[in-house]
Amino acid sequence: LQPDVSPGNCWPLQGHQGQVVIRLPAQVHLTAVTVQHIAKEVSPSGTVISAPRDVAVFGMDADGEEKTLLGTFVYNVAKEAIQTFPLKNAPLPRAFSYIKLLVKSNWGNPAYTCIY
C-alpha cells in the first residue's frame, strides 16, 4: 500500500471479499485502525461501490499462526473518506508485528474491492 490516494490508484482485491496482511515496521500496541477510500465526487466511475463495507481486523504473530480478533467495523461511504475505528479492549496487552484486514463485503462491486 502506498500513500497515494489518487482516484483509481488503489490496492484491488478480487471480488467483493478479500484480505490483506500488512507487516508493521515494528511491534505495535494497536488502539485503532483508519481506513480511507476516495470520495464519490472524485471517483472516475461516479460511484464508490468498490469501497470496503464490513471489515474485521486481526493481530498476528510473526509466523502468522496465531490470530487475535481486534475488532470489526463498517466503513460507511456516506461519511467522511477517512474513518478511524477504535479496536475492542484497546489498549491491548500485547503488541503485534502484522495485521490482517479481512474485507467481508464491499458496497456492491462484484468484480473488485479497493483499499487506499
Side-chain angles (χ1 to χ4, degrees):
L1 298 175
Q2 298 295 323
D4 181 357
V5 292
S6 302
N9 192 20
C10 70
W11 184 280
L13 305 173
Q14 186 175 353
H16 66 279
Q17 297 178 324
Q19 64 184 10
V20 62
V21 175
I22 301 167
R23 184 182 65 166
L24 303 171
Q27 285 200 332
V28 176
H29 286 275
L30 301 163
T31 59
V33 171
T34 299
V35 176
Q36 180 174 1
H37 196 275
I38 60 171
K40 183 178 180 180
E41 296 77 28
V42 298
S43 172
S45 68
T47 71
V48 287
I49 61 173
S50 66
R53 184 174 184 162
D54 296 298
V55 179
V57 178
F58 297 86
M60 298 173 59
D61 60 11
D63 61 12
E65 291 298 317
E66 184 181 339
K67 296 181 201 79
T68 302
L69 177 64
L70 303 178
T72 59
F73 57 87
V74 175
Y75 180 86
N76 188 338
V77 295
K79 294 185 177 180
E80 295 294 321
I82 300 173
Q83 297 174 33
T84 299
F85 305 94
L87 301 175
K88 70 175 190 173
N89 303 324
L92 299 164
R94 63 175 284 211
F96 295 96
S97 300
Y98 296 83
I99 62 165
K100 178 166 85 171
L101 189 69
L102 174 64
V103 178
K104 298 178 182 181
S105 66
N106 68 18
W107 284 90
N109 189 323
Y112 62 92
T113 301
C114 274
I115 299 174
Y116 283 87

